């Protein structure tokens, strides 16, 4: 039985809606004002909310804004009720994230059709989320055990070695062992971090309401090249290849939150390191074209075939037995999804035996 919250300050209208929905076997919760409605929404987590626009103190628009800013409540379908049929009010409601709009007076059929349509769509979205999570679980089941065991074996094996032979190890041997443990720990941490981020993005892309909550980050900026410097100074297990990175960046301010930008670049540079040998250059360039940032990362490694390019996705690895790639193959997918969330496009061009070039276009840019 679906649970519906009705927020309506006119007693007669509220009671009529309650009676109609009760006869249709809905569980109905009602509130005479927006403030009470918000409290009941948090308490009962309804499947759908019907809310009047023109109410004293807290309007329907304000109720909607508050709900859409709450991660737990943002996904609830929301239908606005109003006696005003003007275009401005309609657009304001839609821009705030309303799922539908009913103009008073409405018929019983119009009310029930709006509720049924929005609930059906909501359940479809939930099913999509579950499907994405099931796919993710399957990918994790196949790829995570090996990826977890590799760094764990490094940590456990090296630790046991130090325990068994501590008295006979030199200072340099102890430091080398500790360095190996730290490297394995960093790899394990990043692997878990990437899997959790992929799960968040799967949920995000499957839920427009959840995406709307996240979109506050879209107004944040990153300054280049200053944001790249600390990231390149801390490449973790790839630090020995810092000297291979050649950077040519036009100073600019791009509309991407700095943590997400650094995550994208870190994954793309790491991918370039995986597919190229130490001592070969990895070139990072960022220019401005028609008010948009164009960023490229190019390596001169083994490259990828057309078949491999077509198979790029989460948890895909290429010829691991020959090239001993490290990681779950998740980085490119994470970089691509984050790039697209900020309105950019990520393209990959590769020639076997010559190298790979990854290009990002479409991010808004402004001079510093």
């Amino acid at each position: 039985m679906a649970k519906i919250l009705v927020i309506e300050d006119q007693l007669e209208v509220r009671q009529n809606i309650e009676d109609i929905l009760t006869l249709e076997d809905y569980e109905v919760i009602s509130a005479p004002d927006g403030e009470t409605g918000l409290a009941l929404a948090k308490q009962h987590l309804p499947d759908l909310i019907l809310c009047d626009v023109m109410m004293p103190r807290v309007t329907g628009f304000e109720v909607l804004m508050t709900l859409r800013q709450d991660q737990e409540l943002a996904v609830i379908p929301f239908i606005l009720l109003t006696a005003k049929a003007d275009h401005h009010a309609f657009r304001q409601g839609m821009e705030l994230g309303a799922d539908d709009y009913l103009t008073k007076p409405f018929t019983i059929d119009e009310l029930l059709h709006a509720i049924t349509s929005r609930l059906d769509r909501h359940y479809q979205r939930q099913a999509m989320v579950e499907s994405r999570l099931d796919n993710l679980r399957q990918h994790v089941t196949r790829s995570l055990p090996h990826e977890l065991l590799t760094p764990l074996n490094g940590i456990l094996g090296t630790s046991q070695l130090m325990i068994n032979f501590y008295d006979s190890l030199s200072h340099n041997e102890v430091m080398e062992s500790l360095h190996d443990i730290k490297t394995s720990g960093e790899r394990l941490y990043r692997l878990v971090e990437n899997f959790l981020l992929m799960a968040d993005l799967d949920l995000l892309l499957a839920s427009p309401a959840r995406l709307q909550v996240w979109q506050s980050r879209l107004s944040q900026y990153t300054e280049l090249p200053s944001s790249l410097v600390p990231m390149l100074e801390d490449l973790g297990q790839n630090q020995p290849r810092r000297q291979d990175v050649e950077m040519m960046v036009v100073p600019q301010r791009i509309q991407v939150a700095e943590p997400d930008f650094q995550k994208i670049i870190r994954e793309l540079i790491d991918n370039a390191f995986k597919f190229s040998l130490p001592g070969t250059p990895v070139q990072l360039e960022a220019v401005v074209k028609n008010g948009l940032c164009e960023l490229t990362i190019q390596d001169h490694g083994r490259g990828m075939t057309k078949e491999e390019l077509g198979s790029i996705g989460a948890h895909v690895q290429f010829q691991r037995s020959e090239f001993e790639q490290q990681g779950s193959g998740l980085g490119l997918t994470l970089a691509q999804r984050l790039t697209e969330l900020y309105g950019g496009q990520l393209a990959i061009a590769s020639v076997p035996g010559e190298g790979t070039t990854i290009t990002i276009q479409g991010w808004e840019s402004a001079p510093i």
Side-chain angles (χ1 to χ4, degrees), residues 53-109:
V53 172
M54 303 303 294
M55 295 185 294
R57 296 192 302 278
V58 180
T59 69
F61 292 142
E62 292 169 330
V63 171
L64 177 57
M65 288 176 61
T66 302
L67 291 175
R68 291 301 185 241
Q69 292 169 2
D70 187 312
Q71 204 164 30
E72 188 176 22
L73 305 175
V75 298
I76 299 175
F78 195 97
I79 300 177
L80 283 170
L81 310 175
T82 181
K84 296 176 66 177
D86 65 279
H87 180 72
H88 175 72
F90 172 81
R91 289 308 312 161
Q92 185 177 354
M94 294 300 104
E95 289 170 1
L96 289 173
D99 296 279
D100 208 343
Y101 207 99
L102 282 175
T103 302
K104 302 176 186 176
F106 44 79
T107 67
I108 294 177
D109 286 343

Side-chain angles (χ1 to χ4, degrees), residues 36 47 53 70 86 98 102 106 113 151 153 169 185 206-207 248-249 257 271 276 297 329-330 332 343 345 356:
T36 304
D47 297 292
V53 172
D70 187 312
D86 65 279
L102 282 175
F106 44 79
H113 176 73
N153 285 337
L169 292 175
S207 172
M248 187 186 77
V249 176
N271 183 77
S276 63
I297 294 177
L330 197 58
L332 279 178
Q345 292 182 329
T356 299

Side-chain angles (χ1 to χ4, degrees), residues 111-123:
L111 174 64
L112 295 178
H113 176 73
I115 291 174
T116 302
S117 298
R118 294 305 157 184
L119 283 176
D120 287 346
R121 183 172 297 183
H122 179 61
Y123 295 146

